[in-house]
């Protein structure tokens, strides 16, 4: 069995934090076994919990549109979350839940070997880029860590709530497209 499938199989039985008691399904992530581009959200919502797939609700439909702006699709990038189980009532995942879960994501990153990671929203940015990340101030900036280029953009749910953030996100997406063209030319071939 491929290593990522094996990892998924262990993750599906995870009980490292209390979210395992309220989840319907673990939402491990979707995408190719290796790919140069990963998108990381914060945690599954109601639809994702029911279907076992990330970003399949309203925010997911907007994410698909955002991917198409940068000529990407679910077939050529990997999508996952900081926590794999739905926090009740869609509250922010607690720091303890994030810490319990992050090992799964770290193993996914090791196997998938992305060159670019795009954090969707502040929770992912604060966990993966910097604890003091401020999404309103820092979105769209690039930072290299361990050979991977990181950036963050507003979470699609934030863009659904506040359309005034969309123009800034559009320019962030163009910068992501440029970075993908530069670092991952094969993805557009
Ligand atoms: N919001 C997230 O952060 N992740 C999902 O998978 C769905 C909504």
């Amino acid at each position: 069995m491929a290593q990522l499938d094996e990892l998924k199989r262990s993750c599906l039985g995870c009980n490292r934090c209390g979210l395992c008691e309220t989840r319907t399904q673990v939402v491990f992530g979707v995408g190719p076994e290796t790919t140069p581009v990963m998108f990381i959200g914060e945690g599954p919502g109601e639809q994702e919990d029911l279907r076992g797939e990330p970003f399949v609700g309203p925010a997911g439909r907007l994410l698909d549109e955002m991917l198409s702006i940068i000529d990407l699709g679910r077939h050529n990038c990997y999508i996952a979350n900081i926590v794999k189980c739905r926090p009740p009532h869609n509250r922010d995942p607690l720091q303890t839940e994030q810490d319990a879960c992050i090992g799964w994501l770290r193993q996914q990153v090791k196997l998938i070997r992305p060159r670019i990671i795009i954090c969707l929203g502040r929770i992912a940015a604060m966990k993966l880029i910097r604890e003091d990340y401020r999404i309103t101030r820092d979105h769209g900036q690039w930072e290299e860590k361990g050979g991977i280029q990181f950036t963050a953009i507003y979470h699609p749910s934030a863009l659904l709530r506040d359309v005034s953030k969309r123009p800034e996100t559009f320019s962030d997406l163009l910068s992501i497209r440029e970075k993908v063209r530069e670092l991952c030319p094969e993805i557009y071939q």
Side-chain angles (χ1 to χ4, degrees), residues 77-185:
C77 58
Y78 199 93
I79 303 174
N81 282 304
I82 296 289
V83 297
K84 310 292 191 221
C85 299
R86 182 190 183 202
H89 312 295
N90 297 344
R91 63 158 169 75
D92 288 351
L94 305 175
Q95 209 48 249
T96 49
E97 293 161 349
Q98 295 183 37
D99 290 342
C101 204
I102 196 73
W104 296 115
L105 182 61
R106 295 208 189 288
Q107 283 180 274
Q108 282 174 300
V109 169
K110 242 186 226 162
L111 295 172
I112 294 164
R113 290 186 277 112
R115 274 164 258 159
I116 295 176
I117 293 184
I118 298 122
C119 299
L120 299 169
R122 114 197 127 79
I123 299 274
M126 288 168 69
K127 197 70 189 167
L128 299 182
I129 303 178
R130 266 183 287 114
E131 254 177 52
D132 64 350
Y133 199 93
R134 294 228 332 255
I135 193 80
T136 44
R137 180 189 63 195
D138 302 331
H139 69 86
Q141 294 175 13
W142 290 94
E143 291 194 25
E144 195 264 354
K145 278 174 88 176
I148 300 176
Q149 289 287 335
F150 285 82
T151 192
I153 57 177
Y154 285 115
H155 193 285
S157 302
L159 298 170
L160 288 174
R161 282 193 303 270
D162 181 359
V163 292
S164 75
K165 292 186 164 79
R166 290 190 185 198
E168 294 168 81
T169 303
F170 186 71
S171 26
D172 292 346
L173 289 171
L174 297 185
S175 147
I176 293 168
R177 187 170 67 179
E178 210 167 291
K179 192 68 97 181
V180 176
R181 281 188 200 284
E182 178 195 333
L183 298 184
C184 330

Side-chain angles (χ1 to χ4, degrees), residues 6-20:
E6 260 175 52
L7 184 67
K8 179 174 179 178
R9 210 165 58 168
S10 328
C11 184
L12 296 188
C14 181
N15 56 9
R16 291 179 188 174
C17 82
L19 295 181
C20 68

